[in-house]
Amino acid sequence: MSLEEGGPESPESDVTINMMSFEDTELTLGLPGEGRSSSTTTTAAAVVNGAKCSAKRGYIETVDLNLGSCSSKPRGHGDTSVHDSGAGKPPAAKSQVVGWPPVRSSRKKAMNESCKYVKVAVDGAPFLRKVNLQAYSDYRYLIKDLENLFSSSFTIRNYGTCDDDKEESKLKDGAKGMEYVPTYEDKDGDWMLVGDVPWNNKNFSNMFKYCKLS
Amino acid sequence: MSEDDERQESPPSDLEFSSNKARNYNATGSGSGQPEIQSPYSDQVLENVLENVLHFLTSRRDRNAASLVCKSWYRVEALTRSDLFIGNCYAVSPDRATTRFTRVRALHLKGKPRFADFNLMPRDWGAHFNPWVLSMAKAYPWLEKVYLKRMSVTDDDLAMLSESFTGFKELVLVCCDGFGTSGLAIFVSKCRQLRVLDLIESEVVDDETDWISCFPEAESHLESLIFDCVESPINFEALERLVARSPALKKLRLNQHVSIGQLYRLMIRAPQLTHLGTGSFSPSEVAGQGDQELDYVTAFAACKSLVCLSGFREIVPDYLPAMYPVCANLTSLNFSYANITAEQLKPIIRNCHKLQVFWVLDSICDEGLQAVAVTCKELRELRVFPFDAREDSDGPVSEVGLQAISEGCRKLQSILYFCQRMTNAAVIAMSQNCPDLVVFRLCIMGRHRADHVTGEAMDDGFGAIVKNCKKLTRLAVSGLLTDKAFDYIGRYGKLVRTLSVAFAGDSDMGLKYVLEGCPQLQKLEIRDSPFGDAALRSGLHHYYNMRFLWMSSCRLTRQGCQEIANAMPGLVIEVIRSSDEEEMDDSVETLYMYRSLEGPRKDAPKFVTIL
């Protein structure tokens, strides 16, 4: 469980871009829930192997996106396919049948490559966020957005999603003007902000365990 | 866009040549009868007249019929046939074809059966283009056009194509493989008259050859360049120069390695385009390209002839508004690689009043389909592909979307719909609302899945389709289906030519109904259904009228298939096993059976046994 509640560490927003060397920001992808060991890794900016995700994650380790290590296997001959979207879904309970559904492999491959949602956790933030890597053309934009996403979580001021034009779904306590943020607990036990993943996204409805307003 | 167009088909005339249909038309006549003025050249005159008249006959079916009238017509028809279509490359040999038809300018050739697309057939099964190009190089030096589907084409074949035919103009490769960028490089460098190079859903090996640079430097005659399936990067500067020197270019479909900034540069050079594949539709990965600042709206607005748009391979939806200026003119839109939501689709689709062909991902959900139904009253063809093509994934589209489309798009002729949930009611509604349906392909991705509201099998839905859609020629069924569904198909599907069946039926009766009931059946592909030897036997009367029968993971035995082989010498019966299997027990994993004038082919690989 990576949620840090009331931890003594200072918020990760202290880490600026300048301090990160290129290797620090090297991205590895780990499936949430996979390889979670109780042993903690150091918070040093080591490249985290895609298979391992430590329970306690600093900012750098959290943004791990090595696409090579967890790519889905080709779907020939009844392999169980592994999802690399970071959605936290375990391998399918049924083994996939060869050639079913009848979608050409070039199309399946293109779909796998087109959408990569990964979880981002920051120490001290009350919930995690999800980010679609495919929407970014450059590290600079990704990191900028991450800063925006997490700076707001400390003021609980503005959590509307940026990809849709929908209004922010704020709920106000009429009497006291307090604002509520909807969050949900997903299958891995992480608390996620509602709205980061498009409503129609695959596996979205499998993600919820609890939903609460806090 | 690639489509399996169902053109009319009749049995090859060769098979029927020995039938009694040929009347002996003798122009000089016998001595009896009126003494007409008979010049010794009347035969010749008549043949000339015939030749001139037959030139106007373009339809394959009409030509096949004309060739059966008598020997004279057969001969003249053969001389005047310039477009040669061969639906199964193994049904007839290249030499037989070139001997009969001596003045062919365009060849259309199809190879592997469709289920090969879904990894159901080991690689290197066959369908080699090589013997054809060798034969044609000698027979048709004036050849201009080659269209291949599901054929194996090597780099050497491409080289030979470019070297053997000086006036070669058009090459279209659909679902082909076996060649790479180096083959393309040779081909484009030597075809000086090239007008069309369309690579559609083909596998192109990346030899790291810069083939775009190999087009001749002089002004090109290119009218169509389609390479969206090529997975390797291309030399953009060379492409830009090529587009600049191709004033006749109308169709350009880029691959995902072309960024939106690069797309902009091409569009401003080619505002005359009618068909555009937009590549990635996202900014370059190279920092500092300034892709964000370009005026995409103006670039689109300048393309006043644009009617067909595709691509969007790695779409960043923020750029969608750029296409607003062209929506009103679009007749064809392919969003099937664009992971967009209903909200992102709506502003686009609400302007697409003229849209006739729409391919899309199910990410738009039922809500997106409802929006399509509201605006696209001219829609003829809809394809909804799954973003997540697994059996147990969530289904963003359902019977709700299908119902909406049926109510809004009454002129629908062709539909391919992937979903996880469906009801008989919605399918019945579509059968009633869309009487013009010619192609109905419904893929309920969970195997054996019933109507999710009633819990019943999907028999009645498909039954309604064959009953109410009187023009239906192509059908693909799915979901939980009993023999009853096949009874309906046999009873009402009198025009059905292509039928695809997977995980359906209860017993041999199912297949029997179809083989006995559907006189127009040409192509039957079945997988994982409980049909056995008895069912196979029930089609003996019909197999010579079919192009092929495919049955995999059914209940066939060697013995059953051997019986068919013994009874029908004009059929080639291939028993295919997966390539790593050595043992051959009595059960048949895959049967692929087709009529042929040539008997067993000589290029069959080890894993194919021909009975």
Side-chain angles (χ1 to χ4, degrees), chain A:
Chain A
M1 175 85 161
S2 59
L3 181 60
E4 304 288 329
E5 300 202 61
E9 295 93 330
S10 54
E12 288 301 314
S13 48
D14 278 345
V15 178
T16 66
I17 295 176
N18 296 333
M19 284 172 60
M20 297 181 201
S21 64
F22 186 78
E23 292 81 55
D24 291 355
T25 52
E26 183 157 354
L27 308 169
T28 53
L29 178 66
L31 284 182
E34 184 180 277
R36 229 168 251 255
S37 56
S38 53
S39 65
T40 53
T41 60
T42 63
T43 54
V47 170
V48 177
N49 188 300
K52 293 198 176 66
C53 299
S54 66
K56 171 177 164 162
R57 297 185 283 206
Y59 180 55
I60 293 161
E61 277 99 340
T62 308
V63 183
D64 42 271
L65 319 143
N66 178 359
L67 307 180
S69 59
C70 292
S71 49
S72 53
K73 296 192 178 99
R75 286 169 199 272
H77 311 294
D79 282 352
T80 40
S81 57
V82 175
H83 237 354
D84 66 354
S85 73
K89 194 172 172 84
K94 280 200 235 181
S95 75
Q96 303 288 327
V97 174
V98 175
W100 186 262
V103 174
R104 305 186 76 239
S105 42
S106 57
R107 175 172 286 281
K108 281 186 186 168
K109 187 170 154 198
M111 291 301 102
N112 278 340
E113 287 170 4
S114 77
C115 182
K116 296 208 152 48
Y117 276 93
V118 287
K119 279 193 197 176
V120 183
V122 169
D123 282 352
F127 44 75
L128 282 70
R129 302 301 301 269
K130 271 216 164 172
V131 161
N132 178 9
L133 292 184
Q134 213 62 37
Y136 299 101
S137 50
D138 199 85
Y139 286 128
R140 294 177 296 164
Y141 301 116
L142 168 64
I143 288 164
K144 196 170 190 348
D145 249 10
L146 288 174
E147 288 185 337
N148 288 340
L149 290 176
F150 284 98
S151 66
S152 60
S153 69
F154 295 102
T155 56
I156 317 179
R157 171 180 47 86
N158 171 13
Y159 54 87
T161 57
C162 35
D163 46 347
D164 290 81
D165 287 324
K166 287 197 284 236
E167 286 194 8
E168 295 153 0
S169 52
K170 285 185 189 158
L171 275 176
K172 293 202 166 153
D173 178 329
K176 292 175 187 162
M178 280 176 57
E179 293 172 2
Y180 291 87
V181 177
T183 55
Y184 65 95
E185 184 183 12
D186 75 358
K187 292 170 97 164
D188 305 317
D190 292 325
W191 285 95
M192 313 295 305
L193 182 70
V194 166
D196 281 337
V197 177
W199 182 253
N200 56 295
N201 185 265
K202 57 184 168 136
N203 306 320
F204 178 57
S205 56
N206 287 343
M207 289 174 191
F208 282 81
K209 257 198 322 213
Y210 300 108
C211 189
K212 81 176 184 189
L213 302 178
S214 49

Side-chain angles (χ1 to χ4, degrees), chain B residues 13 16-27 43 46-47 50-51 54 63-80 100-101:
Chain B
S13 338
E16 299 207 18
F17 185 68
S18 53
S19 75
N20 320 344
K21 285 191 194 168
R23 275 180 297 113
N24 211 344
Y25 178 94
N26 190 335
D43 261 355
L46 271 155
E47 285 227 352
L50 200 54
E51 200 175 316
L54 285 185
R63 282 192 157 269
N64 289 345
S67 70
L68 293 175
V69 169
C70 65
K71 279 187 184 164
S72 171
W73 282 51
Y74 176 90
R75 207 172 36 241
V76 177
E77 192 284 312
L79 280 176
T80 55
R100 177 174 169 187
F101 300 106

Side-chain angles (χ1 to χ4, degrees), chain B residues 475-598:
Chain B
L475 181 64
V477 301
S478 62
L480 180 65
L481 291 169
T482 71
D483 286 343
K484 193 155 127 216
F486 297 98
D487 184 11
Y488 288 141
I489 295 172
R491 222 178 307 159
Y492 299 110
K494 295 305 178 186
L495 295 184
V496 170
R497 292 203 293 266
T498 305
L499 179 62
S500 307
V501 177
F503 306 101
D506 302 321
S507 75
D508 284 341
M509 284 312 297
L511 182 52
K512 272 191 188 174
Y513 287 137
V514 168
L515 288 171
E516 287 168 2
C518 300
Q520 296 298 320
L521 196 62
Q522 302 271 305
K523 301 187 260 186
L524 180 54
E525 43 189 33
I526 304 174
R527 63 168 294 180
D528 294 275
S529 300
F531 306 135
D533 299 335
L536 197 62
R537 253 176 266 136
S538 62
L540 286 170
H541 66 288
H542 188 62
Y543 291 140
Y544 281 149
N545 294 333
M546 289 177 65
R547 192 183 291 173
F548 72 79
L549 168 65
W550 167 290
M551 288 177 68
S552 59
S553 305
C554 297
R555 301 216 179 130
L556 300 174
T557 69
R558 278 285 291 254
Q559 201 181 340
C561 295
Q562 189 67 57
E563 270 180 49
I564 308 291
N566 297 341
M568 306 197 74
L571 291 183
V572 172
I573 307 209
E574 296 195 10
V575 172
I576 305 172
R577 34 181 204 288
S578 42
S579 38
D580 47 14
E581 248 177 72
E582 287 301 330
E583 263 315 294
M584 275 190 325
D585 60 11
D586 198 39
S587 71
V588 163
E589 174 56 33
T590 300
L591 165 73
Y592 180 53
M593 185 168 98
Y594 50 90
R595 67 186 169 192
S596 174
L597 294 172
E598 311 303 337

Side-chain angles (χ1 to χ4, degrees), chain B residues 91-111:
Chain B
V92 67
S93 71
D95 288 339
R96 188 188 293 262
T98 55
T99 306
R100 177 174 169 187
F101 300 106
T102 53
R103 298 197 197 153
V104 167
R105 287 187 184 280
L107 174 74
H108 187 136
L109 190 58
K110 293 188 178 182

Side-chain angles (χ1 to χ4, degrees), chain B residues 117-135:
Chain B
D117 289 355
F118 312 122
N119 299 332
L120 289 180
M121 188 184 245
R123 287 186 93 92
D124 308 319
W125 170 82
H128 303 290
F129 181 50
N130 184 258
W132 291 90
V133 70
L134 287 173
S135 187

Side-chain angles (χ1 to χ4, degrees), chain B residues 127-129 148 151-155 157-158 173 176-180:
Chain B
H128 303 290
F129 181 50
L148 303 178
M151 297 285 299
S152 228
V153 182
T154 63
D155 288 344
D157 296 334
L158 289 176
L173 300 177
C176 294
D177 60 14
F179 63 100

